[in-house]
Structure formats: C-alpha cells, structure tokens
Amino acid sequence: MIGAQSAGAPPWRLPSPVAGLVARLPQVVPSAALAAALNVAIARMRDREALAALRGRVVRVVVRDAGLTLTLRCTGSRVHPGSTTAAADVTISACAADFLLLAARKEDADTLFFARRLAIEGDTDTGLVVKNLLDAADLSRLTQLVDRASTLLRGLRA
C-alpha cells in the first residue's frame, strides 16, 4: 500500500526505463482505459448533474514522470478518449504516484495542489467540476486496482 505524504516530493517516481517506454506508446490506449474506468465509476453515481456540466469539454491528464498525456472528451453522459491535438479546457498534471494516491483516496487534491505536486491549468470551473465529480464517484474497486498497481510499480522500481 502507498503511504500518504502531505508535503514534499511524491513517495516514488517511475523508473526512467519504464517512463521512456510508456512515453513512446500511442496515447489513445491509456486514454481509452482511463475513460472506461471513469465510465464504470460514473455509472454508479446517483447525481449525474456534474457530468452534464462537462458536456463538450476536453480534459487532459498529464502524468509527468511517465510521459503520458491522456485526453478525455465528455459528452454529458459518458467519457471518451479524445484527440491529443484537441485544445484542452483544463489540464491536470502530477506524477504517477500522486495520481495513484488521489485514486486510492489516500491523499486529497487540495493538499497535493498546495504542495505543488498537482497542477491544474486552464478553465478553473471545469477543473472544479472534475474534482467534485471524482470526489462523488465510488472508486472502491479502483482502490483495489491502485493498490495492486502500486505493488507492481514498487517491484519495478526495486
């Protein structure tokens, strides 16, 4: 399990060889995987008004230490992988460890933001809608996957 840190550097970074390999992959594949995971979490939500507020918006997620740029397009009811050339309404960036901490709810976005480990650029309102939507989503299954992924990444790092 990843231990939460409230300030300073992330608990770990992806090894350079892994990051170099991941950065060379087509970005649509991880974008599609993230969209699918988000759609599963969104399907369980009771209040979908927040998702409607994202209709037509493009959200970009940059995983700094992995060289990944994931692009998501919101239709109001679902999330789809977007074109990497599309202009983003909001860009959220952090390292892989911090995104895993967020997904596992072991750290909150505000703490990471004020520690300068999470950056949000572009339309602030869209960024807040995304944050609130993720806060309201049931990520219990994702937490288990995150714990497995962090174990795997620690093994790769060693």
Side-chain angles (χ1 to χ4, degrees), residues 27 94 111 122:
Q27 304 295 291
T111 299

Side-chain angles (χ1 to χ4, degrees), residues 138-155:
D138 175 13
L139 302 177
S140 57
R141 287 188 185 173
L142 186 58
T143 301
Q144 294 170 355
L145 292 174
V146 166
D147 286 339
R148 288 182 194 154
S150 66
T151 300
L152 174 65
L153 290 172
R154 274 197 313 273

Side-chain angles (χ1 to χ4, degrees), residues 50-87:
L51 188 59
L54 292 176
R55 181 171 291 130
R57 303 285 186 193
V58 174
V59 176
R60 185 151 293 130
V61 178
V62 177
V63 185
R64 293 182 198 132
D65 58 335
L68 280 176
T69 301
L70 312 175
T71 305
L72 304 171
R73 184 177 45 83
C74 304
T75 63
S77 61
R78 295 189 54 78
V79 178
H80 303 275
S83 168
T84 57
T85 60

Side-chain angles (χ1 to χ4, degrees), residues 116-139:
R116 299 184 189 270
R117 291 170 45 188
L118 175 73
I120 302 173
E121 300 171 8
D123 181 23
T124 307
D125 290 337
T126 301
L128 285 173
V129 170
V130 170
K131 178 193 175 295
N132 293 336
L133 183 68
L134 292 174
D135 285 345
D138 175 13
L139 302 177

Side-chain angles (χ1 to χ4, degrees), residues 22-113:
V22 171
R24 288 183 181 86
L25 297 173
Q27 304 295 291
V28 72
V29 175
S31 294
L34 179 59
L38 290 173
N39 284 325
V40 168
I42 289 166
R44 297 184 187 150
M45 289 180 58
R46 292 182 185 136
D47 179 16
R48 293 190 178 186
E49 281 186 38
L51 188 59
L54 292 176
R55 181 171 291 130
R57 303 285 186 193
V58 174
V59 176
R60 185 151 293 130
V61 178
V62 177
V63 185
R64 293 182 198 132
D65 58 335
L68 280 176
T69 301
L70 312 175
T71 305
L72 304 171
R73 184 177 45 83
C74 304
T75 63
S77 61
R78 295 189 54 78
V79 178
H80 303 275
S83 168
T84 57
T85 60
D89 292 290
V90 67
T91 300
I92 302 166
S93 59
C95 70
D98 288 332
F99 278 124
L100 288 174
L101 288 170
L102 283 170
R105 299 197 191 268
K106 295 181 180 186
E107 194 64 85
D108 66 276
D110 293 333
T111 299
L112 293 177
F113 179 80

